[in-house]
Amino acid sequence: MIGVPDVLTHVLVGYSIGTLLSFRYAWLRPAHVTLVMIGALSPDFMKIDLLVPDGLVGFLLGIPFSWAPLHTLVGSLLVAFVLGTLLIAPALRWRAFGLFVIGALSHHVLDVALVTATGYSYAVFWPLTTYRFPAADLFLSSDRWPALVAGGLALTIWLVRQRITTAENDPSRL
Amino acid sequence: MRGPGTGWTRVVTIVAVVAVLGGLFIWAGTMPTDPLEQPVSDETEVPGDRGAYVGSTVTLGGQVVETDPVVIATRASGYGQFTVIGATEALQNTDGPLERGDHVTAYGTLEDESTLVAERTLTREPSETGYMYLVSFLGGLWVVGRFVRGWRFDWETRAFVPRERPWSLSRLLGNNEQPRRDRRGSRGDRSSTQSDRTGGDRRA
């Protein structure tokens, strides 16, 4: 595996999706957009491997170990259920879960689009199945343009939001 | 439905879900290829037992040490070398040419003990890896900043709740909206910065 798109691209896409949803749903404030962003970042919690490698944990615990499940759909749902649901105030819980999962889904969709050496993606549905999608060969994690495109998109949406907020506070300026 | 409340049910549910995750970590650890790996042997296995892999499909990642023909070293020390036939033609992400020091991952058939016939190759310059770590760090920092600004821990429900007003640095430094509201109310109760500002207003 050569890698995943940089975290910034995922976070920018999360911001864009969250902010677009806030246009549609009035209850969705910037704090809720942050939940989509955390969800969009969450599969990369697996990068903890860089600090605490699989082998080290395996050695310390005396059992085989891999952080990889964090980067699967089932792993994302479990993380969403703890971080995005149970740790959030009861009244907000299920909305928070939904936002977190939307973010995590966007992450997996982008990662399946990555170029891989073998032409196949990772086993996103593990442990349900080890099926690997053919890689969409769209971009490499170290490419610079995905972050630029995602950044442009996020900036556009941010400008639209600024305009809408100004208009709401002062209707004469619309 | 509000889900598992705020009491023990919630604590037990969190422990249970974390235990399931832990189980998945161990399960994935016991698998020959974990969900993120490709089900083919790679540079961690092939160089140690080259003969056994002749004729098989493998991936080999390493640094380019020679360009004509392309030779990659799968060990950082420069050992574990393989000639990669068709490395440039099989590139997926650039048109090449490959240069010494580039990182290459090649997928193909091991023709003999030191030759891989490439079907697909990927390359990455060392600077690109540095770029990826840097922007990833910035992305993470942005999210952490937004979370701290927008959310607070509520000790009553022992859960995170959105702040009424986003926390901000200028408010922390006392440069907040509060004094303006005070001005509308009791005029005597002002901070020193506020009286300066009001003084300015009066002159104007």
Side-chain angles (χ1 to χ4, degrees):
Chain A
M1 196 191 79
I2 198 126
V4 290
D6 60 86
V7 172
L8 183 63
T9 303
H10 284 303
V11 168
L12 285 167
V13 168
Y15 172 83
S16 303
I17 294 174
T19 309
L20 282 177
L21 286 172
S22 76
F23 294 161
R24 175 74 180 75
Y25 301 101
W27 57 267
L28 222 152
R29 295 196 290 123
H32 304 111
V33 174
T34 306
L35 292 178
V36 184
M37 293 166 73
I38 299 175
L41 186 153
S42 66
D44 278 349
F45 289 161
M46 182 214 79
K47 294 281 170 64
I48 190 175
D49 182 49
L50 295 172
L51 294 174
V52 192
D54 293 342
L56 179 65
V57 184
F59 172 74
L60 291 177
L61 299 180
I63 39 174
F65 189 91
S66 165
W67 291 112
L70 284 176
H71 206 284
T72 62
L73 270 183
V74 171
S76 291
L77 286 175
L78 293 175
V79 171
F81 193 57
V82 174
L83 294 188
T85 314
L86 294 172
L87 293 184
I88 302 287
L92 248 176
R93 261 178 209 163
W94 294 108
R95 281 178 172 179
F97 179 74
L99 294 172
F100 202 101
V101 168
I102 288 170
L105 275 179
S106 78
H107 187 116
H108 289 294
V109 168
L110 279 182
D111 274 7
V112 168
L114 281 169
V115 186
T116 63
T118 59
Y120 284 90
S121 182
Y122 58 101
V124 64
F125 299 118
W126 186 88
L128 305 175
T129 153
T130 53
Y131 177 76
R132 285 166 166 82
F133 280 111
D137 284 353
L138 204 58
F139 54 86
L140 198 65
S141 55
S142 52
D143 283 347
R144 284 165 171 75
W145 67 261
L148 287 176
V149 171
L153 179 73
L155 186 68
T156 313
I157 292 171
W158 180 77
L159 287 171
V160 172
R161 195 183 81 91
Q162 294 300 106
R163 209 179 143 73
I164 290 176
T165 317
T166 318
E168 273 168 0
N169 294 339
D170 181 6
S172 65
R173 290 186 62 180
L174 190 64
Chain B
M1 192 183 112
R2 290 179 127 199
T6 51
W8 282 107
T9 348
R10 189 174 73 133
V11 177
V12 171
T13 316
I14 291 177
V15 171
V17 177
V18 171
V20 172
L21 254 179
L24 290 181
F25 293 155
I26 295 165
W27 184 4
T30 62
M31 293 174 58
T33 45
D34 75 30
L36 290 182
E37 290 166 342
Q38 298 292 331
V40 288
S41 300
D42 60 22
E43 68 276 2
T44 58
E45 298 135 312
V46 179
D49 190 9
R50 294 173 179 236
Y53 293 97
V54 171
S56 322
T57 312
V58 298
T59 62
L60 293 174
Q63 294 242 317
V64 175
V65 290
E66 262 177 63
T67 51
D68 191 25
V70 173
V71 176
I72 60 168
T74 54
R75 301 272 188 258
S77 56
Y79 287 102
Q81 295 194 352
F82 291 86
T83 305
V84 184
I85 309 283
T88 312
E89 294 76 11
L91 274 173
Q92 302 294 313
N93 59 323
T94 61
D95 298 327
L98 289 170
E99 284 166 25
R100 278 161 149 259
D102 285 352
H103 186 272
V104 166
T105 308
Y107 170 74
T109 312
L110 200 64
E111 204 176 57
D112 61 47
E113 293 194 4
S114 61
T115 316
L116 181 86
V117 179
E119 257 175 62
R120 292 169 61 96
T121 51
L122 293 179
T123 180
R124 178 194 287 180
E125 285 169 30
S127 70
E128 292 174 330
T129 312
Y131 159 83
M132 197 180 80
Y133 282 124
L134 178 71
V135 294
S136 295
F137 178 72
L138 291 178
L141 215 59
W142 182 26
V143 174
V144 170
R146 279 187 64 112
F147 186 75
V148 171
R149 248 174 73 82
W151 294 79
R152 65 179 178 85
F153 192 74
D154 178 40
W155 287 99
E156 236 167 84
T157 52
R158 270 174 250 110
F160 287 97
V161 290
R163 291 180 194 272
E164 293 299 316
R165 286 192 307 159
W167 181 88
S168 76
L169 210 58
S170 60
R171 252 178 66 206
L172 194 74
L173 298 172
N175 197 9
N176 56 13
E177 306 279 298
Q178 211 58 41
R180 233 181 277 161
R181 220 177 285 157
D182 287 349
R183 210 194 311 174
R184 258 181 264 134
S186 63
R187 285 210 146 235
D189 187 19
R190 279 187 225 121
S191 67
S192 60
T193 40
Q194 195 54 42
S195 31
D196 288 346
R197 228 181 276 159
T198 328
D201 285 348
R202 251 186 234 129
R203 254 178 277 131

